[in-house]
Amino acid sequence: MKREALGAGVAFAMGVVLIAGGAVLQRGVSTWVLCVPLAITCAGVVVRQRAPLASLGLGVAAVAIDAFVGPSLATVLIFTDNLYAAALYGPARFARWLLFITAALAVAAGAVAGLFAEDWRMLAVMGVQAGLVLVTPVTTALVLREQRDRAAAERVRAEQVAHLAELDRQAAVAAERTRMARELHDMIANHFSAIAIQSTAALSRKDLDAATVRKIMESVRENSVKGLAEMRAMIGLLRQEGDDPAEATRPRLADAETLVERVTRAGLVAELRIQGLPGELPASVDLAGYRILQEALTNALKHGDSPVRAVISYEVGRVLVSVENAVGGRGARLPGAGAGLIGMRERASLVGGSFEAGSSGDGDLWRVVAVLPTADDQALPVGGWDRDREPVVGSRGEGERSPSVLEVRPEGA
């Protein structure tokens, strides 16, 4: 408000200077009477932002009075600011109508002047002058208004983009927490399932000798130590700066033999077959295959029975991980939370692979098959296995080595 009042005072002072200098059309009235319409237009300048339509009304009234007593150049010049303020700060619809009204008045003023002067040149001169006074301020205000509205729209859009980015960040955090929970489940479930089964067996049997109890306790200790070591390795990876984890601590499908040996120590007969030539796998595929194999063996340990057969088949553009075990007739050894199959399916999906699990044959076998792509352009079949046949593996070409078979059986089996 103070800024507008200061501007109005400066405009009034400059107008008085113009009136005193003779920038008026004499009508036989006192020169200082022209200061009255000048003061009214300056009052419109004071309220130009708070009440733009009132500012225009004051300007119109002042120009009408000035037309009878003058007119004066100062009042006309300040009236252009009244028009500008009404078009800039007033309602958008009124601003558009104001453009049409001022354009019509400019044409009418030129036509009237040319009619009374009986000279077409007067029509052009008066039309141009009226256009400068009436149309130019409104047009300038409309252009500035459009720029201001566009800037406001861009600000809103930027806020929406920032909001969407924040939502994406929160979703990424939630997804990362879900992956971490899945990692913890996969790492700990296998070890502690074996610990629970072995400790339960040791407690339920009263006829075990000291050597057998010692062997069971050694297996329990080994699973505990390995579980803690994997937890420490994961925490270390999470604390590392950068995106690339240390290669030495990343679980690999090459470590599948250790997983199978761990199952045999828990009392099941397990067999591991490796078909094809193992090659360097993408880190995500390697980790996903290892975790799927680990979870499938854990489920076989908890819910299944011997024999357990694991197959890792390296084919062109993909790797196939299959685990098959007999269905235990006495039911599940340990209750499950239902997260194992979901986790395996999601891990396969995250790397663009396929996953299936279910009973095969006459229902006496449970089979888990995951097909993981190792090349971006490799198309994967839906399903990837036949329930009534062996898992699908690639044929060996000339020069390839024979499939390696590792069969480990517990003592006495």
Side-chain angles (χ1 to χ4, degrees), residues 252-253 284-294 319 321 372:
R252 301 169 177 267
L253 272 177
S284 58
V285 174
D286 212 358
L287 177 60
Y290 178 89
R291 294 306 185 196
I292 290 173
L293 177 63
Q294 184 184 47
V319 59
V321 179
L372 309 177

Side-chain angles (χ1 to χ4, degrees), residues 6 30 41 67 69 73 76 80 108 118 147 329:
L6 179 60
S30 175
T41 55
V69 299
L73 179 61
V76 173
T80 60
E118 297 182 354
Q147 295 290 336

Side-chain angles (χ1 to χ4, degrees), residues 19 22-34 37 63-72 76 126:
I19 292 174
V24 296
L25 183 60
Q26 295 296 336
R27 291 283 183 87
V29 297
S30 175
T31 303
W32 300 108
V33 175
L34 297 173
V63 169
I65 296 173
D66 188 68
F68 288 100
V69 299
S72 65
V76 173
M126 290 300 299

Side-chain angles (χ1 to χ4, degrees), residues 8 11 37-49 51-63 74-90 94 98 102 133-134 137-138 141:
L38 176 64
I40 295 175
T41 55
C42 291
V45 174
V46 176
V47 297
R48 63 195 302 268
Q49 289 190 8
L53 298 184
S55 174
L56 179 61
L58 291 174
V60 171
V63 169
T75 301
V76 173
L77 290 178
I78 298 176
F79 174 67
T80 60
D81 182 77
N82 301 143
L83 285 171
Y84 173 82
L88 181 61
Y89 302 113
F94 175 79
L98 188 60
T102 53
V133 173
L134 300 174
V138 177

Side-chain angles (χ1 to χ4, degrees), residues 8-241:
V10 172
F12 182 77
M14 296 300 296
V16 171
V17 171
L18 288 175
I19 292 174
V24 296
L25 183 60
Q26 295 296 336
R27 291 283 183 87
V29 297
S30 175
T31 303
W32 300 108
V33 175
L34 297 173
C35 294
V36 175
L38 176 64
I40 295 175
T41 55
C42 291
V45 174
V46 176
V47 297
R48 63 195 302 268
Q49 289 190 8
R50 292 192 305 169
L53 298 184
S55 174
L56 179 61
L58 291 174
V60 171
V63 169
I65 296 173
D66 188 68
F68 288 100
V69 299
S72 65
L73 179 61
T75 301
V76 173
L77 290 178
I78 298 176
F79 174 67
T80 60
D81 182 77
N82 301 143
L83 285 171
Y84 173 82
L88 181 61
Y89 302 113
R93 186 175 181 180
F94 175 79
R96 291 191 293 268
W97 276 104
L98 188 60
L99 178 62
F100 292 115
I101 293 172
T102 53
L105 289 176
V107 174
V112 171
L115 180 62
F116 280 96
E118 297 182 354
D119 188 354
W120 64 269
R121 290 174 296 182
M122 183 60 65
L123 184 150
V125 172
M126 290 300 299
V128 171
Q129 290 180 353
L132 291 175
V133 173
L134 300 174
V135 180
T136 302
V138 177
T139 304
T140 304
L142 288 176
V143 172
L144 185 61
R145 186 181 189 126
E146 182 181 359
Q147 295 290 336
R148 187 182 62 181
D149 294 343
R150 186 176 301 174
E154 291 297 330
R155 283 194 297 269
V156 172
R157 185 178 303 173
E159 292 175 357
Q160 292 175 347
V161 171
H163 181 64
L164 291 176
E166 178 63 20
L167 292 179
D168 289 341
R169 187 192 68 80
Q170 294 177 2
V173 170
E176 185 62 25
R177 289 177 179 175
T178 302
R179 283 192 289 268
M180 291 175 64
R182 191 183 302 123
E183 287 287 341
L184 288 174
H185 173 270
D186 292 341
M187 285 193 302
I188 302 304
N190 185 53
H191 297 291
F192 282 90
S193 295
I195 292 172
I197 292 172
Q198 291 170 338
S199 59
T200 301
L203 292 173
S204 62
R205 295 286 299 274
K206 304 299 184 181
D207 56 342
L208 298 178
D209 55 15
T212 304
V213 173
R214 180 179 179 82
K215 184 177 180 181
I216 293 176
M217 291 299 102
E218 288 177 352
S219 179
V220 169
R221 181 183 181 279
E222 180 184 359
N223 278 285
S224 302
V225 171
K226 288 185 177 180
L228 291 174
E230 288 194 14
M231 284 189 64
R232 292 192 190 99
M234 180 181 178
I235 293 173
L237 291 177
L238 293 175
R239 288 178 177 175
Q240 285 180 356
E241 294 184 358

